[in-house]
Amino acid sequence: MKNKLSLSVKSRLIGIICISVFIGYLALQYLLMLRSGFDSELAFKDSLINSAVMMFCCYGMSSALNFYTPQPREIWKVLIIGLIMAAISTGLSRFLMSYFIQPNFIALLDLTLPFRGIVNFLILTSVAIINIVWNIQEDNINNIKRKQESENLLREAELYNLRQQLQPHFLFNSLNSIIALIGANPDEARNMTFQLSDFLRGTMRKENNQIITLEEELDHLQLYLDIEKVRFGHRLNTSISSSEEIFSNKLPAMIIQPLVENAIKHGLYNITDQVEIQIKCTSNEGQLLIQITNPFDVEEQSSPKKGTGFGLSSIQRRLYLLYGRNDLMETQIQDNIFTSTLKIPQYD
């Protein structure tokens, strides 16, 4: 559809150029011949023949340049094309004039042929340059579009790959927990299997929907937390704070879960006491702010930032691919509390 539209616009442009050449050439030559003392009828016939020939030459040359466009370094080819077309137009005009103009005026008009050839060369070369510039510009635009489409495809592929890499770690841990529960607590194992099934089903539905609402993200996150609570029992406590006014805010699908998974990993794996992980969602200055906080053991994790691993780095990469910014995720350590903050721009 776009190619057809481009050809239609280009055809109209060629038509406008040819008509402009016809009218301009006719008026200019007619006035010059009148001022030079030629008869008005002779001046009109001569001008009409030359302008018509020039119009058809311009159209033919423009159509030919649609199939071949000299490169900027091949400017000499443009000059050759102009010379050839000027010779053709001048010769064809001279041939037609012999049929429509009285013979006693032909010798007089022959004296003007060199000047006609020069004028034709300048006009036709200008028209050729306009067409070549148009073609080059059109090619550049098409190349930019193809490059953007290619980059978008690569970005989508990378985002998909990032989302896929986040799942196996959680899935393997959940399956191991189910196996451990089968013997000790079959009912809990069956319940966890259903929860895992619901979570994975929701994940598959979100694969084709990259941007979702905060409400959808929190509902899906709750499925994940329910599974993790089965794994860790009373040791894991979570709280989600969010107002209904911001439920319609948009964010990338499954952007919170890796942060919560990271908080559970560094908050519970090396701590035997109960741990509370807080998730707070607010809105400020056109941004959706999401904070996840968790405690950590300073002795066991002297540098929590080094232990962020694939989860946080993948989020940073996803945010950059989606929004083109590297400042949308921050981490902070204060009083044995590790805080991850997401800033999701909201566009109207």
Side-chain angles (χ1 to χ4, degrees), residues 111-125:
L111 298 176
T112 65
L113 288 180
F115 302 100
R116 295 170 187 263
I118 294 174
V119 173
N120 291 357
F121 169 74
L122 294 175
I123 293 175
L124 290 166
T125 302

Side-chain angles (χ1 to χ4, degrees), residues 25 54 61 75-87 89-90 114-129:
Y25 200 99
M54 284 291 291
M61 182 179 62
I75 189 65
W76 58 272
K77 292 184 178 181
V78 180
L79 300 178
I80 291 177
I81 293 173
L83 285 171
I84 294 173
M85 295 304 297
S89 62
T90 305
F115 302 100
R116 295 170 187 263
I118 294 174
V119 173
N120 291 357
F121 169 74
L122 294 175
I123 293 175
L124 290 166
T125 302
S126 300
V127 172
I129 292 174

Side-chain angles (χ1 to χ4, degrees), residues 60-340:
M61 182 179 62
S62 299
S63 300
L65 289 173
N66 287 333
F67 301 97
Y68 172 72
T69 301
Q71 298 302 312
R73 295 174 297 178
E74 302 173 333
I75 189 65
W76 58 272
K77 292 184 178 181
V78 180
L79 300 178
I80 291 177
I81 293 173
L83 285 171
I84 294 173
M85 295 304 297
I88 292 174
S89 62
T90 305
L92 183 59
S93 297
R94 172 62 180 80
F95 175 75
L96 293 175
M97 283 190 295
S98 64
Y99 286 95
F100 296 98
I101 296 177
Q102 297 177 6
N104 56 324
F105 289 108
I106 294 296
L108 181 61
L109 294 177
D110 284 344
L111 298 176
T112 65
L113 288 180
F115 302 100
R116 295 170 187 263
I118 294 174
V119 173
N120 291 357
F121 169 74
L122 294 175
I123 293 175
L124 290 166
T125 302
S126 300
V127 172
I129 292 174
I130 292 173
N131 277 272
I132 290 170
V133 171
W134 175 280
N135 291 336
I136 292 175
Q137 184 67 19
E138 193 174 50
D139 289 340
N140 289 337
I141 292 174
N142 290 333
N143 289 335
I144 291 173
K145 288 181 178 179
R146 284 194 295 268
K147 182 179 179 181
Q148 289 176 343
E149 290 174 357
S150 177
E151 290 176 349
N152 288 338
L153 289 174
L154 289 174
R155 186 183 68 176
E156 292 295 329
E158 184 173 354
L159 286 170
Y160 179 80
N161 186 51
L162 289 172
R163 291 197 299 268
Q164 293 302 309
Q165 291 183 59
L166 290 171
Q167 295 305 318
H169 179 267
F170 164 70
L171 179 60
F172 294 150
N173 287 339
S174 299
L175 291 176
N176 288 333
S177 298
I178 292 173
I179 293 173
L181 287 170
I182 289 176
N185 194 338
D187 292 336
E188 198 66 49
R190 184 170 59 253
N191 184 43
M192 187 174 179
T193 302
F194 290 143
Q195 291 174 336
L196 180 60
S197 175
D198 291 338
F199 176 81
L200 295 178
R201 189 179 298 111
T203 300
M204 294 177 65
R205 284 198 298 265
K206 287 177 171 57
E207 290 296 337
N208 295 325
N209 192 9
Q210 190 163 279
I211 303 297
I212 62 175
T213 64
L214 176 63
E215 183 177 15
E216 292 175 311
E217 178 74 357
L218 293 180
D219 289 342
H220 191 66
L221 178 65
Q222 190 60 56
L223 290 174
Y224 167 76
L225 291 175
D226 291 341
I227 296 172
E228 293 295 71
K229 286 178 181 178
V230 174
R231 290 181 60 206
F232 295 100
H234 68 281
R235 292 181 55 217
L236 174 61
N237 296 311
T238 60
S239 65
I240 301 177
S241 173
S242 178
S243 61
E244 294 184 2
E245 289 77 8
I246 64 173
F247 276 173
S248 60
N249 282 199
K250 303 291 185 179
L251 75 166
M254 296 185 65
I255 199 75
I256 302 179
Q257 185 245 322
L259 286 175
V260 176
E261 183 176 352
N262 183 77
I264 292 174
K265 174 182 176 181
H266 296 282
L268 275 80
Y269 283 10
N270 297 301
I271 298 177
T272 57
D273 297 330
Q274 290 188 4
V275 169
E276 181 176 9
I277 294 175
Q278 298 180 346
I279 304 162
K280 183 179 181 181
C281 303
T282 58
S283 179
N284 183 38
E285 297 181 353
Q287 288 185 326
L288 173 63
L289 303 181
I290 303 171
Q291 286 186 331
I292 296 95
T293 60
N294 64 277
F296 68 95
D297 189 339
V298 178
E299 294 181 359
E300 295 291 337
Q301 293 173 251
S302 59
S303 181
K305 288 184 178 180
K306 293 182 180 179
T308 56
F310 176 77
L312 298 187
S313 63
S314 68
I315 295 174
Q316 187 82 25
R317 181 61 179 167
R318 282 187 68 191
L319 292 173
Y320 175 76
L321 290 172
L322 289 170
Y323 301 102
R325 293 172 56 180
N326 284 317
D327 61 340
L328 299 180
M329 189 184 76
E330 298 176 353
T331 57
Q332 182 181 8
I333 303 171
Q334 185 176 7
D335 299 330
N336 293 356
I337 298 296
F338 185 81
T339 302
S340 301

